[in-house]
Amino acid sequence: MSNISKTTDWREGRRRSARDAIIDAAWSLVAEEGLAGLSLRDLARRAGITTPTVYSYFDSKNAIYDAMFAQAATKFAKRMAEPFGDLDPLEVLVTGVRRFASFCTSDPARYQLLFQQTLPGFEPSPESYAPAVEALAHARGWLARNGITKARHVDLWTALVTGLVDQQISNDAGGSRWTRLIEESMAMFVAHCQPSRVSPNRSSRQTPRKGSLL
Amino acid sequence: MSNISKTTDWREGRRRSARDAIIDAAWSLVAEEGLAGLSLRDLARRAGITTPTVYSYFDSKNAIYDAMFAQAATKFAKRMAEPFGDLDPLEVLVTGVRRFASFCTSDPARYQLLFQQTLPGFEPSPESYAPAVEALAHARGWLARNGITKARHVDLWTALVTGLVDQQISNDAGGSRWTRLIEESMAMFVAHCQPSRVSPNRSSRQTPRKGSLL
DNA sequence: GTCTATAGCTGGATAGAC
DNA sequence: GTCTATCCAGCTATAGAC
């Protein structure tokens, strides 16, 4: 099918892993200096190359941030898409939120890049952004399994979940003061959205699904 | 009581208003350029002075941030301390959270400075920080009026409230997509904390108050 | 592709005249 | 207190040899 020679593939592969090595160095740097503290000098030094060499792989500093965003969004999507096995709807929701929280708290700089728009002058390209929306569609699926499809309730859920994660990262880094509230808060939330629910099956959907996933 | 001459008072007043003018210029700048985009050159230009003159009022750039923090924290404390008139406990809570959200969303840069620890290399001095904790004590009072005093519930409440505000600022600036959920979310929260409550009075406190306010 | 060298700019902060 | 002039450090990005 392809007429690309083995040599070209090989070079492409090398180029790719060199790019990845730079991105890896970038992540380790922002973990220490903060997301905004990324300088191309330090980055080059840590990657074992010089500043101009960085420019042979990335057009600009923002292109580096964009590659970091794309990598993070892809990992995020994969993590959210992992199957749950045989769990009932509420357990799916709780486990999913735990996953989300674990993903976020394990690397605050990554969380800041992905979910807080706080980097001056940077916004991700549509290609980099795409996996992130895909991942959020999964979250909607978790809610839908609990019969929760109203936009108002989805918004309330995003506020609750991001609030827990945000407080955890900002005020108890490394601990579990807020993440341990996940189960209780999800029970509260589901009980609020399904006031008359008796059994945890899908019998009493509040709104008909249109074209939503799951 | 004081032996300070009128002249000295006058000069002190002038010095003070000059400081205030610089801080005002700083707020208008960060509203446009973002909190991290504050440069002393631009600040001086906007304040109608030159860079060295800024240094005759503030020792460093961080001292300017600290003065901004102090001013914001003081305004915050005053806003939170305003009386509520004759409201029942739940109305007090809802009104208080609305106040908090209104304060936060009306100036995102101020919110970022006060509540998100995102400025590289800056942390407020204890003096500047003091009014902020005072204000949070008021919030505890709103909760206590609803019989909510458990640390776990207070944490859940802070996550919920900051999550709503955060989503509002990040994803619907200028709108009300999340702030309009305040009443519903507070009802959900209070119902969860007071599962057996029948009437909205203070009859069924869950935990005895120790030395808490109100 | 990788280097040395450096351009070009902006930042915070200071010296010293007035 | 306010200015002009300037220092020095850091940054992104590029030119050009190899």
Side-chain angles (χ1 to χ4, degrees), chain A residues 47-80:
Chain A
I49 55 180
T50 59
T51 321
T53 304
V54 175
Y55 280 90
S56 75
Y57 291 98
F58 297 96
D59 287 341
S60 69
K61 186 179 177 177
N62 268 355
I64 296 173
Y65 279 131
D66 199 58
M68 295 170 77
F69 189 101
Q71 191 201 68
T74 302
K75 282 187 181 175
F76 177 57
K78 280 188 181 148
R79 190 99 174 78
M80 296 300 107

mmCIF file of all heavy atoms in Angstrom, chain A residues 47-80:
data_model
loop_
_atom_site.group_PDB
_atom_site.id
_atom_site.type_symbol
_atom_site.label_atom_id
_atom_site.label_comp_id
_atom_site.label_asym_id
_atom_site.label_seq_id
_atom_site.Cartn_x
_atom_site.Cartn_y
_atom_site.Cartn_z
ATOM 1 N N ALA A 47 16.901 18.124 28.081
ATOM 2 C CA ALA A 47 16.771 17.110 27.044
ATOM 3 C C ALA A 47 18.127 16.729 26.451
ATOM 4 O O ALA A 47 18.207 15.866 25.573
ATOM 5 C CB ALA A 47 15.837 17.602 25.944
ATOM 6 N N GLY A 48 19.190 17.397 26.918
ATOM 7 C CA GLY A 48 20.513 17.061 26.441
ATOM 8 C C GLY A 48 20.825 17.593 25.052
ATOM 9 O O GLY A 48 21.709 17.068 24.365
ATOM 10 N N ILE A 49 20.137 18.649 24.656
ATOM 11 C CA ILE A 49 20.395 19.277 23.361
ATOM 12 C C ILE A 49 20.540 20.781 23.556
ATOM 13 O O ILE A 49 20.613 21.236 24.701
ATOM 14 C CB ILE A 49 19.229 18.986 22.374
ATOM 15 C CG1 ILE A 49 17.912 19.431 22.988
ATOM 16 C CG2 ILE A 49 19.206 17.514 22.012
ATOM 17 C CD1 ILE A 49 16.713 19.185 22.117
ATOM 18 N N THR A 50 20.570 21.529 22.489
ATOM 19 C CA THR A 50 20.672 22.979 22.609
ATOM 20 C C THR A 50 19.396 23.636 22.104
ATOM 21 O O THR A 50 18.576 23.005 21.436
ATOM 22 C CB THR A 50 21.868 23.525 21.804
ATOM 23 O OG1 THR A 50 21.686 23.156 20.439
ATOM 24 C CG2 THR A 50 23.169 22.969 22.349
ATOM 25 N N THR A 51 19.283 24.900 22.405
ATOM 26 C CA THR A 51 18.034 25.595 22.078
ATOM 27 C C THR A 51 17.669 25.518 20.594
ATOM 28 O O THR A 51 16.523 25.189 20.273
ATOM 29 C CB THR A 51 18.118 27.063 22.515
ATOM 30 O OG1 THR A 51 18.799 27.127 23.769
ATOM 31 C CG2 THR A 51 16.752 27.653 22.652
ATOM 32 N N PRO A 52 18.580 25.812 19.680
ATOM 33 C CA PRO A 52 18.173 25.757 18.266
ATOM 34 C C PRO A 52 17.666 24.382 17.849
ATOM 35 O O PRO A 52 16.802 24.280 16.972
ATOM 36 C CB PRO A 52 19.465 26.112 17.527
ATOM 37 C CG PRO A 52 20.253 26.899 18.490
ATOM 38 C CD PRO A 52 19.962 26.287 19.826
ATOM 39 N N THR A 53 18.211 23.347 18.447
ATOM 40 C CA THR A 53 17.758 22.005 18.083
ATOM 41 C C THR A 53 16.280 21.806 18.418
ATOM 42 O O THR A 53 15.556 21.128 17.674
ATOM 43 C CB THR A 53 18.611 20.955 18.815
ATOM 44 O OG1 THR A 53 19.985 21.176 18.494
ATOM 45 C CG2 THR A 53 18.225 19.560 18.391
ATOM 46 N N VAL A 54 15.866 22.418 19.506
ATOM 47 C CA VAL A 54 14.445 22.343 19.838
ATOM 48 C C VAL A 54 13.605 22.870 18.680
ATOM 49 O O VAL A 54 12.564 22.301 18.336
ATOM 50 C CB VAL A 54 14.156 23.142 21.122
ATOM 51 C CG1 VAL A 54 12.662 23.168 21.412
ATOM 52 C CG2 VAL A 54 14.911 22.554 22.304
ATOM 53 N N TYR A 55 14.116 23.916 18.062
ATOM 54 C CA TYR A 55 13.358 24.532 16.965
ATOM 55 C C TYR A 55 13.351 23.685 15.702
ATOM 56 O O TYR A 55 12.615 23.988 14.762
ATOM 57 C CB TYR A 55 13.906 25.930 16.667
ATOM 58 C CG TYR A 55 13.388 26.953 17.636
ATOM 59 C CD1 TYR A 55 14.076 27.234 18.814
ATOM 60 C CD2 TYR A 55 12.193 27.603 17.399
ATOM 61 C CE1 TYR A 55 13.595 28.166 19.711
ATOM 62 C CE2 TYR A 55 11.698 28.535 18.287
ATOM 63 C CZ TYR A 55 12.406 28.810 19.443
ATOM 64 O OH TYR A 55 11.914 29.724 20.332
ATOM 65 N N SER A 56 14.179 22.662 15.641
ATOM 66 C CA SER A 56 14.096 21.781 14.476
ATOM 67 C C SER A 56 12.995 20.742 14.675
ATOM 68 O O SER A 56 12.667 20.008 13.752
ATOM 69 C CB SER A 56 15.452 21.118 14.211
ATOM 70 O OG SER A 56 15.667 20.116 15.162
ATOM 71 N N TYR A 57 12.440 20.703 15.888
ATOM 72 C CA TYR A 57 11.337 19.786 16.142
ATOM 73 C C TYR A 57 10.019 20.505 16.397
ATOM 74 O O TYR A 57 8.957 19.950 16.164
ATOM 75 C CB TYR A 57 11.654 18.878 17.340
ATOM 76 C CG TYR A 57 12.749 17.890 17.051
ATOM 77 C CD1 TYR A 57 14.058 18.136 17.433
ATOM 78 C CD2 TYR A 57 12.471 16.714 16.356
ATOM 79 C CE1 TYR A 57 15.071 17.234 17.166
ATOM 80 C CE2 TYR A 57 13.474 15.806 16.082
ATOM 81 C CZ TYR A 57 14.773 16.064 16.489
ATOM 82 O OH TYR A 57 15.761 15.167 16.204
ATOM 83 N N PHE A 58 10.111 21.732 16.914
ATOM 84 C CA PHE A 58 8.894 22.499 17.198
ATOM 85 C C PHE A 58 9.054 23.918 16.671
ATOM 86 O O PHE A 58 10.134 24.501 16.791
ATOM 87 C CB PHE A 58 8.621 22.524 18.698
ATOM 88 C CG PHE A 58 8.365 21.158 19.278
ATOM 89 C CD1 PHE A 58 9.397 20.444 19.867
ATOM 90 C CD2 PHE A 58 7.103 20.596 19.230
ATOM 91 C CE1 PHE A 58 9.174 19.178 20.403
ATOM 92 C CE2 PHE A 58 6.876 19.331 19.769
ATOM 93 C CZ PHE A 58 7.909 18.628 20.353
ATOM 94 N N ASP A 59 7.995 24.449 16.108
ATOM 95 C CA ASP A 59 8.067 25.774 15.504
ATOM 96 C C ASP A 59 8.170 26.882 16.536
ATOM 97 O O ASP A 59 8.688 27.955 16.249
ATOM 98 C CB ASP A 59 6.828 26.016 14.633
ATOM 99 C CG ASP A 59 6.883 25.208 13.345
ATOM 100 O OD1 ASP A 59 8.000 24.778 12.990
ATOM 101 O OD2 ASP A 59 5.835 25.006 12.722
ATOM 102 N N SER A 60 7.622 26.651 17.693
ATOM 103 C CA SER A 60 7.579 27.716 18.695
ATOM 104 C C SER A 60 7.337 27.105 20.063
ATOM 105 O O SER A 60 7.091 25.906 20.199
ATOM 106 C CB SER A 60 6.467 28.711 18.373
ATOM 107 O OG SER A 60 5.206 28.093 18.570
ATOM 108 N N LYS A 61 7.401 27.938 21.066
ATOM 109 C CA LYS A 61 7.111 27.466 22.420
ATOM 110 C C LYS A 61 5.660 27.000 22.532
ATOM 111 O O LYS A 61 5.380 25.972 23.160
ATOM 112 C CB LYS A 61 7.379 28.593 23.414
ATOM 113 C CG LYS A 61 7.253 28.191 24.851
ATOM 114 C CD LYS A 61 7.566 29.366 25.753
ATOM 115 C CE LYS A 61 7.371 29.001 27.204
ATOM 116 N NZ LYS A 61 7.742 30.131 28.088
ATOM 117 N N ASN A 62 4.757 27.734 21.914
ATOM 118 C CA ASN A 62 3.362 27.318 21.952
ATOM 119 C C ASN A 62 3.149 25.971 21.281
ATOM 120 O O ASN A 62 2.270 25.208 21.698
ATOM 121 C CB ASN A 62 2.481 28.382 21.291
ATOM 122 C CG ASN A 62 1.952 29.382 22.302
ATOM 123 O OD1 ASN A 62 2.172 29.224 23.504
ATOM 124 N ND2 ASN A 62 1.271 30.408 21.836
ATOM 125 N N ALA A 63 3.943 25.671 20.270
ATOM 126 C CA ALA A 63 3.826 24.355 19.631
ATOM 127 C C ALA A 63 4.200 23.253 20.617
ATOM 128 O O ALA A 63 3.644 22.150 20.579
ATOM 129 C CB ALA A 63 4.717 24.291 18.399
ATOM 130 N N ILE A 64 5.117 23.560 21.513
ATOM 131 C CA ILE A 64 5.471 22.585 22.547
ATOM 132 C C ILE A 64 4.309 22.394 23.518
ATOM 133 O O ILE A 64 3.930 21.260 23.835
ATOM 134 C CB ILE A 64 6.741 23.031 23.297
ATOM 135 C CG1 ILE A 64 7.928 23.051 22.320
ATOM 136 C CG2 ILE A 64 7.039 22.107 24.482
ATOM 137 C CD1 ILE A 64 9.187 23.625 22.905
ATOM 138 N N TYR A 65 3.738 23.509 23.968
ATOM 139 C CA TYR A 65 2.571 23.399 24.833
ATOM 140 C C TYR A 65 1.458 22.616 24.140
ATOM 141 O O TYR A 65 0.774 21.800 24.755
ATOM 142 C CB TYR A 65 2.052 24.798 25.211
ATOM 143 C CG TYR A 65 2.800 25.461 26.337
ATOM 144 C CD1 TYR A 65 3.260 26.769 26.224
ATOM 145 C CD2 TYR A 65 3.042 24.799 27.539
ATOM 146 C CE1 TYR A 65 3.931 27.411 27.259
ATOM 147 C CE2 TYR A 65 3.707 25.420 28.576
ATOM 148 C CZ TYR A 65 4.153 26.726 28.431
ATOM 149 O OH TYR A 65 4.813 27.348 29.460
ATOM 150 N N ASP A 66 1.303 22.857 22.862
ATOM 151 C CA ASP A 66 0.238 22.170 22.141
ATOM 152 C C ASP A 66 0.491 20.664 22.080
ATOM 153 O O ASP A 66 -0.428 19.862 22.255
ATOM 154 C CB ASP A 66 0.115 22.744 20.724
ATOM 155 C CG ASP A 66 -1.231 22.408 20.096
ATOM 156 O OD1 ASP A 66 -2.257 22.788 20.690
ATOM 157 O OD2 ASP A 66 -1.250 21.749 19.041
ATOM 158 N N ALA A 67 1.744 20.295 21.856
ATOM 159 C CA ALA A 67 2.070 18.865 21.842
ATOM 160 C C ALA A 67 1.847 18.251 23.220
ATOM 161 O O ALA A 67 1.378 17.114 23.346
ATOM 162 C CB ALA A 67 3.511 18.670 21.386
ATOM 163 N N MET A 68 2.194 18.998 24.269
ATOM 164 C CA MET A 68 1.938 18.514 25.621
ATOM 165 C C MET A 68 0.443 18.340 25.844
ATOM 166 O O MET A 68 -0.009 17.336 26.421
ATOM 167 C CB MET A 68 2.516 19.495 26.653
ATOM 168 C CG MET A 68 4.017 19.624 26.621
ATOM 169 S SD MET A 68 4.620 21.009 27.652
ATOM 170 C CE MET A 68 4.477 20.300 29.297
ATOM 171 N N PHE A 69 -0.324 19.314 25.379
ATOM 172 C CA PHE A 69 -1.774 19.235 25.533
ATOM 173 C C PHE A 69 -2.319 18.016 24.808
ATOM 174 O O PHE A 69 -3.137 17.258 25.357
ATOM 175 C CB PHE A 69 -2.418 20.515 24.990
ATOM 176 C CG PHE A 69 -3.874 20.645 25.294
ATOM 177 C CD1 PHE A 69 -4.309 21.447 26.326
ATOM 178 C CD2 PHE A 69 -4.822 19.947 24.563
ATOM 179 C CE1 PHE A 69 -5.657 21.567 26.620
ATOM 180 C CE2 PHE A 69 -6.172 20.046 24.848
ATOM 181 C CZ PHE A 69 -6.587 20.866 25.881
ATOM 182 N N ALA A 70 -1.866 17.820 23.580
ATOM 183 C CA ALA A 70 -2.351 16.679 22.797
ATOM 184 C C ALA A 70 -2.035 15.367 23.501
ATOM 185 O O ALA A 70 -2.883 14.471 23.605
ATOM 186 C CB ALA A 70 -1.722 16.705 21.404
ATOM 187 N N GLN A 71 -0.799 15.236 23.997
ATOM 188 C CA GLN A 71 -0.422 14.010 24.702
ATOM 189 C C GLN A 71 -1.302 13.797 25.936
ATOM 190 O O GLN A 71 -1.791 12.695 26.187
ATOM 191 C CB GLN A 71 1.055 14.080 25.109
ATOM 192 C CG GLN A 71 1.619 12.774 25.607
ATOM 193 C CD GLN A 71 2.861 12.982 26.453
ATOM 194 O OE1 GLN A 71 2.826 13.508 27.548
ATOM 195 N NE2 GLN A 71 3.996 12.544 25.906
ATOM 196 N N ALA A 72 -1.487 14.868 26.705
ATOM 197 C CA ALA A 72 -2.292 14.764 27.920
ATOM 198 C C ALA A 72 -3.732 14.417 27.593
ATOM 199 O O ALA A 72 -4.350 13.562 28.253
ATOM 200 C CB ALA A 72 -2.224 16.082 28.698
ATOM 201 N N ALA A 73 -4.278 15.040 26.567
ATOM 202 C CA ALA A 73 -5.672 14.783 26.198
ATOM 203 C C ALA A 73 -5.849 13.343 25.738
ATOM 204 O O ALA A 73 -6.861 12.699 26.044
ATOM 205 C CB ALA A 73 -6.111 15.757 25.099
ATOM 206 N N THR A 74 -4.861 12.819 25.019
ATOM 207 C CA THR A 74 -4.951 11.438 24.562
ATOM 208 C C THR A 74 -4.926 10.463 25.739
ATOM 209 O O THR A 74 -5.746 9.540 25.824
ATOM 210 C CB THR A 74 -3.797 11.127 23.596
ATOM 211 O OG1 THR A 74 -3.855 12.048 22.503
ATOM 212 C CG2 THR A 74 -3.898 9.709 23.068
ATOM 213 N N LYS A 75 -3.987 10.698 26.656
ATOM 214 C CA LYS A 75 -3.943 9.842 27.845
ATOM 215 C C LYS A 75 -5.258 9.916 28.611
ATOM 216 O O LYS A 75 -5.775 8.910 29.094
ATOM 217 C CB LYS A 75 -2.786 10.274 28.749
ATOM 218 C CG LYS A 75 -1.427 9.806 28.294
ATOM 219 C CD LYS A 75 -0.359 10.125 29.339
ATOM 220 C CE LYS A 75 1.024 9.680 28.866
ATOM 221 N NZ LYS A 75 2.107 10.076 29.797
ATOM 222 N N PHE A 76 -5.769 11.125 28.720
ATOM 223 C CA PHE A 76 -7.025 11.325 29.435
ATOM 224 C C PHE A 76 -8.151 10.526 28.781
ATOM 225 O O PHE A 76 -8.894 9.801 29.466
ATOM 226 C CB PHE A 76 -7.359 12.814 29.446
ATOM 227 C CG PHE A 76 -8.658 13.159 30.087
ATOM 228 C CD1 PHE A 76 -8.917 12.784 31.394
ATOM 229 C CD2 PHE A 76 -9.622 13.867 29.392
ATOM 230 C CE1 PHE A 76 -10.116 13.108 31.995
ATOM 231 C CE2 PHE A 76 -10.828 14.193 29.990
ATOM 232 C CZ PHE A 76 -11.075 13.812 31.285
ATOM 233 N N ALA A 77 -8.239 10.623 27.465
ATOM 234 C CA ALA A 77 -9.298 9.905 26.761
ATOM 235 C C ALA A 77 -9.171 8.400 26.972
ATOM 236 O O ALA A 77 -10.166 7.705 27.211
ATOM 237 C CB ALA A 77 -9.254 10.245 25.265
ATOM 238 N N LYS A 78 -7.954 7.897 26.897
ATOM 239 C CA LYS A 78 -7.764 6.459 27.083
ATOM 240 C C LYS A 78 -8.176 6.028 28.483
ATOM 241 O O LYS A 78 -8.820 4.998 28.679
ATOM 242 C CB LYS A 78 -6.300 6.083 26.835
ATOM 243 C CG LYS A 78 -5.976 5.957 25.358
ATOM 244 C CD LYS A 78 -4.572 5.387 25.147
ATOM 245 C CE LYS A 78 -4.252 5.277 23.660
ATOM 246 N NZ LYS A 78 -2.832 5.459 23.349
ATOM 247 N N ARG A 79 -7.786 6.847 29.451
ATOM 248 C CA ARG A 79 -8.114 6.503 30.834
ATOM 249 C C ARG A 79 -9.619 6.484 31.051
ATOM 250 O O ARG A 79 -10.155 5.589 31.712
ATOM 251 C CB ARG A 79 -7.467 7.530 31.759
ATOM 252 C CG ARG A 79 -7.525 7.185 33.220
ATOM 253 C CD ARG A 79 -6.215 6.573 33.677
ATOM 254 N NE ARG A 79 -6.207 6.360 35.128
ATOM 255 C CZ ARG A 79 -6.836 5.355 35.718
ATOM 256 N NH1 ARG A 79 -7.507 4.495 34.990
ATOM 257 N NH2 ARG A 79 -6.785 5.213 37.022
ATOM 258 N N MET A 80 -10.301 7.445 30.511
ATOM 259 C CA MET A 80 -11.758 7.517 30.709
ATOM 260 C C MET A 80 -12.485 6.411 29.959
ATOM 261 O O MET A 80 -13.599 6.041 30.311
ATOM 262 C CB MET A 80 -12.276 8.887 30.235
ATOM 263 C CG MET A 80 -11.765 10.075 31.016
ATOM 264 S SD MET A 80 -12.176 10.046 32.789
ATOM 265 C CE MET A 80 -10.585 9.670 33.507
#
